[in-house]
Amino acid sequence: MTEREIETKLAEVDRLLNDPETRMDPHRVWSLLAELASASAPQPAPVPARS
């Protein structure tokens, strides 16, 4: 996920939580947070091939 995509998702979460004119959608908030968490999770190191 690019930096731009992360910023866009964070902005949407912020809007959903803080904009009084936006209807709260808990499912969407959790979905966005799950995407962000998986994008920032450390990737496992590659396993070297045995020779």
Side-chain angles (χ1 to χ4, degrees):
M1 186 177 298
T2 66
E3 236 1 87
R4 176 87 169 134
E5 291 171 322
I6 291 171
E7 289 173 8
T8 301
K9 290 180 188 297
L10 285 172
E12 186 175 355
V13 168
D14 183 60
R15 182 181 58 78
L16 288 167
L17 293 175
N18 297 312
D19 184 355
E21 295 184 14
T22 301
R23 183 168 181 250
M24 175 58 138
D25 183 357
H27 178 72
R28 182 69 181 142
V29 172
W30 284 112
S31 176
L32 287 165
L33 292 175
E35 289 178 41
L36 290 165
S38 67
S40 66
Q43 300 300 316
V47 178
R50 290 187 165 185
S51 41

mmCIF file of all heavy atoms in Angstrom:
data_model
loop_
_atom_site.group_PDB
_atom_site.id
_atom_site.type_symbol
_atom_site.label_atom_id
_atom_site.label_comp_id
_atom_site.label_asym_id
_atom_site.label_seq_id
_atom_site.Cartn_x
_atom_site.Cartn_y
_atom_site.Cartn_z
ATOM 1 N N MET A 1 0.860 -1.157 0.000
ATOM 2 C CA MET A 1 0.000 0.000 0.000
ATOM 3 C C MET A 1 0.918 1.235 0.000
ATOM 4 O O MET A 1 1.860 1.312 0.774
ATOM 5 C CB MET A 1 -0.881 -0.037 1.253
ATOM 6 C CG MET A 1 -1.911 1.041 1.289
ATOM 7 S SD MET A 1 -3.028 0.964 2.720
ATOM 8 C CE MET A 1 -3.823 -0.594 2.500
ATOM 9 N N THR A 2 0.590 2.162 -0.874
ATOM 10 C CA THR A 2 1.414 3.366 -0.987
ATOM 11 C C THR A 2 1.104 4.342 0.147
ATOM 12 O O THR A 2 0.075 4.236 0.815
ATOM 13 C CB THR A 2 1.174 4.083 -2.335
ATOM 14 O OG1 THR A 2 -0.160 4.580 -2.349
ATOM 15 C CG2 THR A 2 1.416 3.156 -3.509
ATOM 16 N N GLU A 3 2.009 5.288 0.334
ATOM 17 C CA GLU A 3 1.813 6.329 1.340
ATOM 18 C C GLU A 3 0.525 7.096 1.082
ATOM 19 O O GLU A 3 -0.209 7.422 2.003
ATOM 20 C CB GLU A 3 2.976 7.295 1.229
ATOM 21 C CG GLU A 3 3.880 7.642 2.385
ATOM 22 C CD GLU A 3 3.689 7.019 3.726
ATOM 23 O OE1 GLU A 3 4.218 5.949 3.961
ATOM 24 O OE2 GLU A 3 3.052 7.658 4.580
ATOM 25 N N ARG A 4 0.247 7.343 -0.180
ATOM 26 C CA ARG A 4 -0.969 8.089 -0.565
ATOM 27 C C ARG A 4 -2.229 7.314 -0.183
ATOM 28 O O ARG A 4 -3.194 7.880 0.331
ATOM 29 C CB ARG A 4 -0.930 8.344 -2.080
ATOM 30 C CG ARG A 4 -2.140 9.003 -2.627
ATOM 31 C CD ARG A 4 -2.013 10.486 -2.515
ATOM 32 N NE ARG A 4 -3.088 11.100 -3.290
ATOM 33 C CZ ARG A 4 -3.821 12.075 -2.826
ATOM 34 N NH1 ARG A 4 -3.580 12.581 -1.656
ATOM 35 N NH2 ARG A 4 -4.771 12.578 -3.558
ATOM 36 N N GLU A 5 -2.236 5.997 -0.428
ATOM 37 C CA GLU A 5 -3.386 5.164 -0.068
ATOM 38 C C GLU A 5 -3.596 5.134 1.447
ATOM 39 O O GLU A 5 -4.734 5.190 1.924
ATOM 40 C CB GLU A 5 -3.192 3.740 -0.594
ATOM 41 C CG GLU A 5 -3.262 3.633 -2.097
ATOM 42 C CD GLU A 5 -2.853 2.260 -2.612
ATOM 43 O OE1 GLU A 5 -1.913 1.665 -2.061
ATOM 44 O OE2 GLU A 5 -3.482 1.800 -3.571
ATOM 45 N N ILE A 6 -2.498 5.063 2.185
ATOM 46 C CA ILE A 6 -2.582 5.058 3.648
ATOM 47 C C ILE A 6 -3.170 6.374 4.138
ATOM 48 O O ILE A 6 -4.072 6.376 4.982
ATOM 49 C CB ILE A 6 -1.193 4.800 4.273
ATOM 50 C CG1 ILE A 6 -0.754 3.359 3.985
ATOM 51 C CG2 ILE A 6 -1.202 5.083 5.773
ATOM 52 C CD1 ILE A 6 0.680 3.052 4.360
ATOM 53 N N GLU A 7 -2.680 7.478 3.596
ATOM 54 C CA GLU A 7 -3.198 8.794 3.987
ATOM 55 C C GLU A 7 -4.686 8.922 3.671
ATOM 56 O O GLU A 7 -5.455 9.466 4.466
ATOM 57 C CB GLU A 7 -2.420 9.899 3.282
ATOM 58 C CG GLU A 7 -1.002 10.054 3.788
ATOM 59 C CD GLU A 7 -0.196 11.051 2.966
ATOM 60 O OE1 GLU A 7 -0.774 11.734 2.092
ATOM 61 O OE2 GLU A 7 1.013 11.138 3.206
ATOM 62 N N THR A 8 -5.096 8.408 2.516
ATOM 63 C CA THR A 8 -6.506 8.473 2.123
ATOM 64 C C THR A 8 -7.380 7.673 3.089
ATOM 65 O O THR A 8 -8.450 8.135 3.511
ATOM 66 C CB THR A 8 -6.682 7.949 0.685
ATOM 67 O OG1 THR A 8 -5.883 8.745 -0.186
ATOM 68 C CG2 THR A 8 -8.126 7.997 0.244
ATOM 69 N N LYS A 9 -6.935 6.477 3.449
ATOM 70 C CA LYS A 9 -7.702 5.633 4.372
ATOM 71 C C LYS A 9 -7.758 6.257 5.764
ATOM 72 O O LYS A 9 -8.801 6.235 6.415
ATOM 73 C CB LYS A 9 -7.115 4.229 4.416
ATOM 74 C CG LYS A 9 -7.361 3.462 3.130
ATOM 75 C CD LYS A 9 -6.775 2.083 3.182
ATOM 76 C CE LYS A 9 -6.846 1.396 1.846
ATOM 77 N NZ LYS A 9 -8.169 1.164 1.335
ATOM 78 N N LEU A 10 -6.650 6.836 6.221
ATOM 79 C CA LEU A 10 -6.644 7.500 7.519
ATOM 80 C C LEU A 10 -7.591 8.701 7.518
ATOM 81 O O LEU A 10 -8.297 8.945 8.508
ATOM 82 C CB LEU A 10 -5.234 7.952 7.892
ATOM 83 C CG LEU A 10 -4.284 6.844 8.347
ATOM 84 C CD1 LEU A 10 -2.873 7.388 8.497
ATOM 85 C CD2 LEU A 10 -4.761 6.227 9.645
ATOM 86 N N ALA A 11 -7.609 9.439 6.428
ATOM 87 C CA ALA A 11 -8.513 10.592 6.319
ATOM 88 C C ALA A 11 -9.973 10.130 6.365
ATOM 89 O O ALA A 11 -10.821 10.787 6.987
ATOM 90 C CB ALA A 11 -8.233 11.365 5.038
ATOM 91 N N GLU A 12 -10.265 9.001 5.720
ATOM 92 C CA GLU A 12 -11.643 8.492 5.744
ATOM 93 C C GLU A 12 -12.036 8.043 7.150
ATOM 94 O O GLU A 12 -13.148 8.311 7.608
ATOM 95 C CB GLU A 12 -11.821 7.350 4.747
ATOM 96 C CG GLU A 12 -13.258 6.908 4.663
ATOM 97 C CD GLU A 12 -13.523 5.859 3.597
ATOM 98 O OE1 GLU A 12 -12.602 5.523 2.826
ATOM 99 O OE2 GLU A 12 -14.667 5.379 3.549
ATOM 100 N N VAL A 13 -11.125 7.376 7.849
ATOM 101 C CA VAL A 13 -11.404 6.969 9.230
ATOM 102 C C VAL A 13 -11.668 8.211 10.081
ATOM 103 O O VAL A 13 -12.635 8.252 10.853
ATOM 104 C CB VAL A 13 -10.233 6.139 9.821
ATOM 105 C CG1 VAL A 13 -10.394 5.966 11.323
ATOM 106 C CG2 VAL A 13 -10.122 4.794 9.140
ATOM 107 N N ASP A 14 -10.829 9.221 9.924
ATOM 108 C CA ASP A 14 -11.006 10.457 10.674
ATOM 109 C C ASP A 14 -12.369 11.086 10.389
ATOM 110 O O ASP A 14 -13.075 11.506 11.304
ATOM 111 C CB ASP A 14 -9.879 11.434 10.337
ATOM 112 C CG ASP A 14 -9.976 12.707 11.143
ATOM 113 O OD1 ASP A 14 -9.917 12.630 12.387
ATOM 114 O OD2 ASP A 14 -10.125 13.783 10.527
ATOM 115 N N ARG A 15 -12.741 11.120 9.122
ATOM 116 C CA ARG A 15 -14.034 11.698 8.730
ATOM 117 C C ARG A 15 -15.185 10.904 9.336
ATOM 118 O O ARG A 15 -16.129 11.470 9.892
ATOM 119 C CB ARG A 15 -14.154 11.730 7.207
ATOM 120 C CG ARG A 15 -15.436 12.359 6.696
ATOM 121 C CD ARG A 15 -15.492 12.334 5.180
ATOM 122 N NE ARG A 15 -15.388 10.998 4.619
ATOM 123 C CZ ARG A 15 -16.393 10.117 4.574
ATOM 124 N NH1 ARG A 15 -17.570 10.432 5.062
ATOM 125 N NH2 ARG A 15 -16.215 8.925 4.053
ATOM 126 N N LEU A 16 -15.105 9.580 9.254
ATOM 127 C CA LEU A 16 -16.178 8.736 9.796
ATOM 128 C C LEU A 16 -16.340 8.904 11.309
ATOM 129 O O LEU A 16 -17.445 8.845 11.837
ATOM 130 C CB LEU A 16 -15.909 7.264 9.475
ATOM 131 C CG LEU A 16 -16.099 6.855 8.023
ATOM 132 C CD1 LEU A 16 -15.504 5.471 7.779
ATOM 133 C CD2 LEU A 16 -17.560 6.883 7.640
ATOM 134 N N LEU A 17 -15.237 9.123 11.990
ATOM 135 C CA LEU A 17 -15.290 9.237 13.446
ATOM 136 C C LEU A 17 -15.605 10.647 13.937
ATOM 137 O O LEU A 17 -16.186 10.807 15.002
ATOM 138 C CB LEU A 17 -13.961 8.781 14.056
ATOM 139 C CG LEU A 17 -13.625 7.303 13.900
ATOM 140 C CD1 LEU A 17 -12.231 7.027 14.429
ATOM 141 C CD2 LEU A 17 -14.654 6.433 14.586
ATOM 142 N N ASN A 18 -15.217 11.657 13.168
ATOM 143 C CA ASN A 18 -15.266 13.017 13.698
ATOM 144 C C ASN A 18 -16.188 13.994 12.988
ATOM 145 O O ASN A 18 -16.451 15.066 13.521
ATOM 146 C CB ASN A 18 -13.848 13.606 13.722
ATOM 147 C CG ASN A 18 -12.941 12.827 14.645
ATOM 148 O OD1 ASN A 18 -13.303 12.547 15.771
ATOM 149 N ND2 ASN A 18 -11.774 12.465 14.156
ATOM 150 N N ASP A 19 -16.658 13.662 11.808
ATOM 151 C CA ASP A 19 -17.523 14.589 11.079
ATOM 152 C C ASP A 19 -18.968 14.385 11.531
ATOM 153 O O ASP A 19 -19.550 13.335 11.287
ATOM 154 C CB ASP A 19 -17.396 14.348 9.576
ATOM 155 C CG ASP A 19 -18.190 15.347 8.741
ATOM 156 O OD1 ASP A 19 -18.921 16.176 9.320
ATOM 157 O OD2 ASP A 19 -18.081 15.289 7.504
ATOM 158 N N PRO A 20 -19.545 15.388 12.175
ATOM 159 C CA PRO A 20 -20.913 15.216 12.688
ATOM 160 C C PRO A 20 -21.961 15.055 11.589
ATOM 161 O O PRO A 20 -23.058 14.569 11.846
ATOM 162 C CB PRO A 20 -21.168 16.490 13.506
ATOM 163 C CG PRO A 20 -20.162 17.468 13.031
ATOM 164 C CD PRO A 20 -19.000 16.690 12.490
ATOM 165 N N GLU A 21 -21.638 15.431 10.367
ATOM 166 C CA GLU A 21 -22.602 15.304 9.270
ATOM 167 C C GLU A 21 -22.476 13.968 8.524
ATOM 168 O O GLU A 21 -23.260 13.689 7.619
ATOM 169 C CB GLU A 21 -22.432 16.471 8.302
ATOM 170 C CG GLU A 21 -22.784 17.793 8.960
ATOM 171 C CD GLU A 21 -22.715 18.961 8.006
ATOM 172 O OE1 GLU A 21 -22.659 18.737 6.789
ATOM 173 O OE2 GLU A 21 -22.702 20.092 8.493
ATOM 174 N N THR A 22 -21.478 13.178 8.907
ATOM 175 C CA THR A 22 -21.276 11.874 8.277
ATOM 176 C C THR A 22 -21.865 10.793 9.174
ATOM 177 O O THR A 22 -21.599 10.760 10.377
ATOM 178 C CB THR A 22 -19.774 11.600 8.063
ATOM 179 O OG1 THR A 22 -19.238 12.622 7.232
ATOM 180 C CG2 THR A 22 -19.539 10.255 7.412
ATOM 181 N N ARG A 23 -22.658 9.928 8.569
ATOM 182 C CA ARG A 23 -23.272 8.834 9.331
ATOM 183 C C ARG A 23 -22.189 7.845 9.767
ATOM 184 O O ARG A 23 -21.335 7.437 8.976
ATOM 185 C CB ARG A 23 -24.295 8.117 8.456
ATOM 186 C CG ARG A 23 -25.022 7.031 9.192
ATOM 187 C CD ARG A 23 -26.221 6.556 8.379
ATOM 188 N NE ARG A 23 -26.911 5.533 9.113
ATOM 189 C CZ ARG A 23 -26.918 4.255 8.748
ATOM 190 N NH1 ARG A 23 -26.333 3.870 7.655
ATOM 191 N NH2 ARG A 23 -27.566 3.377 9.473
ATOM 192 N N MET A 24 -22.224 7.461 11.024
ATOM 193 C CA MET A 24 -21.247 6.515 11.567
ATOM 194 C C MET A 24 -21.481 5.141 10.958
ATOM 195 O O MET A 24 -22.610 4.648 10.922
ATOM 196 C CB MET A 24 -21.391 6.453 13.080
ATOM 197 C CG MET A 24 -20.508 5.423 13.731
ATOM 198 S SD MET A 24 -18.793 5.707 13.360
ATOM 199 C CE MET A 24 -18.064 5.421 14.923
ATOM 200 N N ASP A 25 -20.414 4.534 10.454
ATOM 201 C CA ASP A 25 -20.486 3.196 9.867
ATOM 202 C C ASP A 25 -19.380 2.354 10.514
ATOM 203 O O ASP A 25 -18.263 2.299 10.006
ATOM 204 C CB ASP A 25 -20.301 3.288 8.351
ATOM 205 C CG ASP A 25 -20.424 1.946 7.665
ATOM 206 O OD1 ASP A 25 -20.599 0.919 8.354
ATOM 207 O OD2 ASP A 25 -20.325 1.915 6.422
ATOM 208 N N PRO A 26 -19.671 1.711 11.645
ATOM 209 C CA PRO A 26 -18.645 0.958 12.373
ATOM 210 C C PRO A 26 -17.973 -0.120 11.522
ATOM 211 O O PRO A 26 -16.767 -0.330 11.622
ATOM 212 C CB PRO A 26 -19.390 0.328 13.547
ATOM 213 C CG PRO A 26 -20.669 1.070 13.657
ATOM 214 C CD PRO A 26 -20.961 1.650 12.315
ATOM 215 N N HIS A 27 -18.751 -0.786 10.678
ATOM 216 C CA HIS A 27 -18.178 -1.831 9.833
ATOM 217 C C HIS A 27 -17.088 -1.252 8.925
ATOM 218 O O HIS A 27 -16.025 -1.845 8.761
ATOM 219 C CB HIS A 27 -19.270 -2.502 8.999
ATOM 220 C CG HIS A 27 -18.740 -3.556 8.082
ATOM 221 N ND1 HIS A 27 -18.293 -4.772 8.533
ATOM 222 C CD2 HIS A 27 -18.557 -3.556 6.737
ATOM 223 C CE1 HIS A 27 -17.856 -5.487 7.502
ATOM 224 N NE2 HIS A 27 -18.008 -4.767 6.402
ATOM 225 N N ARG A 28 -17.353 -0.100 8.346
ATOM 226 C CA ARG A 28 -16.378 0.551 7.457
ATOM 227 C C ARG A 28 -15.137 0.991 8.238
ATOM 228 O O ARG A 28 -14.009 0.834 7.763
ATOM 229 C CB ARG A 28 -17.021 1.747 6.740
ATOM 230 C CG ARG A 28 -16.107 2.444 5.786
ATOM 231 C CD ARG A 28 -15.804 1.573 4.576
ATOM 232 N NE ARG A 28 -14.901 2.269 3.686
ATOM 233 C CZ ARG A 28 -13.919 1.685 3.001
ATOM 234 N NH1 ARG A 28 -13.759 0.385 3.044
ATOM 235 N NH2 ARG A 28 -13.136 2.396 2.233
ATOM 236 N N VAL A 29 -15.336 1.523 9.438
ATOM 237 C CA VAL A 29 -14.197 1.948 10.261
ATOM 238 C C VAL A 29 -13.297 0.754 10.559
ATOM 239 O O VAL A 29 -12.078 0.808 10.352
ATOM 240 C CB VAL A 29 -14.671 2.602 11.583
ATOM 241 C CG1 VAL A 29 -13.501 2.858 12.523
ATOM 242 C CG2 VAL A 29 -15.407 3.903 11.294
ATOM 243 N N TRP A 30 -13.894 -0.354 11.009
ATOM 244 C CA TRP A 30 -13.099 -1.545 11.338
ATOM 245 C C TRP A 30 -12.425 -2.119 10.097
ATOM 246 O O TRP A 30 -11.283 -2.590 10.159
ATOM 247 C CB TRP A 30 -13.957 -2.601 12.029
ATOM 248 C CG TRP A 30 -14.235 -2.256 13.456
ATOM 249 C CD1 TRP A 30 -15.442 -1.925 13.984
ATOM 250 C CD2 TRP A 30 -13.301 -2.182 14.531
ATOM 251 N NE1 TRP A 30 -15.303 -1.650 15.322
ATOM 252 C CE2 TRP A 30 -14.002 -1.794 15.689
ATOM 253 C CE3 TRP A 30 -11.925 -2.393 14.630
ATOM 254 C CZ2 TRP A 30 -13.380 -1.628 16.931
ATOM 255 C CZ3 TRP A 30 -11.314 -2.221 15.863
ATOM 256 C CH2 TRP A 30 -12.031 -1.847 16.993
ATOM 257 N N SER A 31 -13.104 -2.074 8.979
ATOM 258 C CA SER A 31 -12.536 -2.571 7.729
ATOM 259 C C SER A 31 -11.299 -1.754 7.331
ATOM 260 O O SER A 31 -10.264 -2.307 6.970
ATOM 261 C CB SER A 31 -13.593 -2.522 6.634
ATOM 262 O OG SER A 31 -13.064 -2.901 5.407
ATOM 263 N N LEU A 32 -11.429 -0.442 7.407
ATOM 264 C CA LEU A 32 -10.294 0.427 7.074
ATOM 265 C C LEU A 32 -9.132 0.207 8.032
ATOM 266 O O LEU A 32 -7.965 0.136 7.614
ATOM 267 C CB LEU A 32 -10.728 1.897 7.109
ATOM 268 C CG LEU A 32 -11.609 2.361 5.967
ATOM 269 C CD1 LEU A 32 -12.266 3.695 6.305
ATOM 270 C CD2 LEU A 32 -10.805 2.476 4.686
ATOM 271 N N LEU A 33 -9.438 0.094 9.325
ATOM 272 C CA LEU A 33 -8.374 -0.126 10.303
ATOM 273 C C LEU A 33 -7.680 -1.469 10.086
ATOM 274 O O LEU A 33 -6.461 -1.572 10.241
ATOM 275 C CB LEU A 33 -8.938 -0.027 11.724
ATOM 276 C CG LEU A 33 -9.395 1.376 12.146
ATOM 277 C CD1 LEU A 33 -10.048 1.324 13.524
ATOM 278 C CD2 LEU A 33 -8.238 2.356 12.119
ATOM 279 N N ALA A 34 -8.423 -2.484 9.705
ATOM 280 C CA ALA A 34 -7.820 -3.794 9.420
ATOM 281 C C ALA A 34 -6.888 -3.701 8.216
ATOM 282 O O ALA A 34 -5.790 -4.281 8.221
ATOM 283 C CB ALA A 34 -8.906 -4.833 9.182
ATOM 284 N N GLU A 35 -7.316 -2.984 7.184
ATOM 285 C CA GLU A 35 -6.458 -2.796 6.002
ATOM 286 C C GLU A 35 -5.183 -2.066 6.378
ATOM 287 O O GLU A 35 -4.093 -2.445 5.933
ATOM 288 C CB GLU A 35 -7.198 -2.003 4.927
ATOM 289 C CG GLU A 35 -8.314 -2.754 4.253
ATOM 290 C CD GLU A 35 -9.046 -1.890 3.239
ATOM 291 O OE1 GLU A 35 -8.377 -1.132 2.505
ATOM 292 O OE2 GLU A 35 -10.287 -1.969 3.183
ATOM 293 N N LEU A 36 -5.304 -1.031 7.176
ATOM 294 C CA LEU A 36 -4.130 -0.265 7.589
ATOM 295 C C LEU A 36 -3.194 -1.103 8.451
ATOM 296 O O LEU A 36 -1.973 -1.038 8.308
ATOM 297 C CB LEU A 36 -4.561 0.998 8.330
ATOM 298 C CG LEU A 36 -5.227 2.061 7.461
ATOM 299 C CD1 LEU A 36 -5.930 3.093 8.314
ATOM 300 C CD2 LEU A 36 -4.197 2.722 6.556
ATOM 301 N N ALA A 37 -3.758 -1.912 9.328
ATOM 302 C CA ALA A 37 -2.940 -2.762 10.198
ATOM 303 C C ALA A 37 -2.181 -3.801 9.381
ATOM 304 O O ALA A 37 -0.999 -4.052 9.628
ATOM 305 C CB ALA A 37 -3.807 -3.442 11.246
ATOM 306 N N SER A 38 -2.838 -4.398 8.405
ATOM 307 C CA SER A 38 -2.156 -5.413 7.602
ATOM 308 C C SER A 38 -1.100 -4.783 6.701
ATOM 309 O O SER A 38 -0.088 -5.404 6.407
ATOM 310 C CB SER A 38 -3.154 -6.215 6.777
ATOM 311 O OG SER A 38 -3.753 -5.405 5.794
ATOM 312 N N ALA A 39 -1.321 -3.549 6.296
ATOM 313 C CA ALA A 39 -0.341 -2.869 5.445
ATOM 314 C C ALA A 39 0.900 -2.477 6.238
ATOM 315 O O ALA A 39 1.999 -2.446 5.690
ATOM 316 C CB ALA A 39 -0.955 -1.621 4.820
ATOM 317 N N SER A 40 0.732 -2.207 7.535
ATOM 318 C CA SER A 40 1.874 -1.770 8.334
ATOM 319 C C SER A 40 2.518 -2.917 9.106
ATOM 320 O O SER A 40 3.519 -2.715 9.772
ATOM 321 C CB SER A 40 1.448 -0.675 9.297
ATOM 322 O OG SER A 40 0.543 -1.184 10.244
ATOM 323 N N ALA A 41 1.949 -4.107 9.014
ATOM 324 C CA ALA A 41 2.514 -5.256 9.712
ATOM 325 C C ALA A 41 3.855 -5.615 9.086
ATOM 326 O O ALA A 41 4.018 -5.578 7.878
ATOM 327 C CB ALA A 41 1.573 -6.447 9.626
ATOM 328 N N PRO A 42 4.826 -5.950 9.935
ATOM 329 C CA PRO A 42 6.138 -6.327 9.377
ATOM 330 C C PRO A 42 6.014 -7.588 8.526
ATOM 331 O O PRO A 42 5.309 -8.523 8.888
ATOM 332 C CB PRO A 42 6.991 -6.564 10.605
ATOM 333 C CG PRO A 42 6.087 -6.627 11.764
ATOM 334 C CD PRO A 42 4.778 -6.031 11.362
ATOM 335 N N GLN A 43 6.683 -7.557 7.406
ATOM 336 C CA GLN A 43 6.676 -8.708 6.511
ATOM 337 C C GLN A 43 7.738 -9.699 6.972
ATOM 338 O O GLN A 43 8.836 -9.301 7.350
ATOM 339 C CB GLN A 43 6.967 -8.268 5.078
ATOM 340 C CG GLN A 43 5.954 -7.272 4.533
ATOM 341 C CD GLN A 43 4.537 -7.828 4.513
ATOM 342 O OE1 GLN A 43 4.338 -8.959 4.127
ATOM 343 N NE2 GLN A 43 3.587 -7.041 4.955
ATOM 344 N N PRO A 44 7.441 -10.997 6.950
ATOM 345 C CA PRO A 44 8.438 -11.984 7.381
ATOM 346 C C PRO A 44 9.629 -11.975 6.429
ATOM 347 O O PRO A 44 9.502 -11.731 5.239
ATOM 348 C CB PRO A 44 7.687 -13.308 7.316
ATOM 349 C CG PRO A 44 6.504 -13.066 6.460
ATOM 350 C CD PRO A 44 6.199 -11.598 6.516
ATOM 351 N N ALA A 45 10.792 -12.234 7.016
ATOM 352 C CA ALA A 45 12.019 -12.289 6.211
ATOM 353 C C ALA A 45 11.958 -13.509 5.298
ATOM 354 O O ALA A 45 11.438 -14.560 5.684
ATOM 355 C CB ALA A 45 13.226 -12.364 7.111
ATOM 356 N N PRO A 46 12.479 -13.383 4.089
ATOM 357 C CA PRO A 46 12.479 -14.535 3.191
ATOM 358 C C PRO A 46 13.362 -15.652 3.742
ATOM 359 O O PRO A 46 14.390 -15.393 4.348
ATOM 360 C CB PRO A 46 13.024 -13.983 1.868
ATOM 361 C CG PRO A 46 13.669 -12.682 2.216
ATOM 362 C CD PRO A 46 13.068 -12.205 3.497
ATOM 363 N N VAL A 47 12.929 -16.861 3.540
ATOM 364 C CA VAL A 47 13.697 -18.025 3.989
ATOM 365 C C VAL A 47 14.723 -18.344 2.917
ATOM 366 O O VAL A 47 14.377 -18.540 1.748
ATOM 367 C CB VAL A 47 12.751 -19.239 4.214
ATOM 368 C CG1 VAL A 47 13.551 -20.458 4.629
ATOM 369 C CG2 VAL A 47 11.693 -18.898 5.240
ATOM 370 N N PRO A 48 16.005 -18.378 3.310
ATOM 371 C CA PRO A 48 17.033 -18.688 2.304
ATOM 372 C C PRO A 48 16.876 -20.113 1.782
ATOM 373 O O PRO A 48 16.520 -21.025 2.525
ATOM 374 C CB PRO A 48 18.346 -18.504 3.050
ATOM 375 C CG PRO A 48 18.001 -18.464 4.499
ATOM 376 C CD PRO A 48 16.549 -18.163 4.625
ATOM 377 N N ALA A 49 17.146 -20.283 0.506
ATOM 378 C CA ALA A 49 17.055 -21.609 -0.113
ATOM 379 C C ALA A 49 18.235 -22.462 0.352
ATOM 380 O O ALA A 49 19.353 -21.987 0.491
ATOM 381 C CB ALA A 49 17.070 -21.470 -1.618
ATOM 382 N N ARG A 50 17.927 -23.719 0.617
ATOM 383 C CA ARG A 50 19.003 -24.654 1.016
ATOM 384 C C ARG A 50 19.656 -25.196 -0.239
ATOM 385 O O ARG A 50 19.012 -25.457 -1.226
ATOM 386 C CB ARG A 50 18.427 -25.801 1.828
ATOM 387 C CG ARG A 50 17.956 -25.363 3.175
ATOM 388 C CD ARG A 50 17.572 -26.561 3.979
ATOM 389 N NE ARG A 50 17.450 -26.187 5.373
ATOM 390 C CZ ARG A 50 17.209 -27.040 6.326
ATOM 391 N NH1 ARG A 50 17.042 -28.314 6.061
ATOM 392 N NH2 ARG A 50 17.116 -26.633 7.574
ATOM 393 N N SER A 51 20.970 -25.373 -0.116
ATOM 394 C CA SER A 51 21.674 -25.935 -1.284
ATOM 395 C C SER A 51 22.153 -27.331 -1.056
ATOM 396 O O SER A 51 22.077 -27.929 -0.072
ATOM 397 C CB SER A 51 22.848 -25.065 -1.665
ATOM 398 O OG SER A 51 23.559 -24.597 -0.562
#
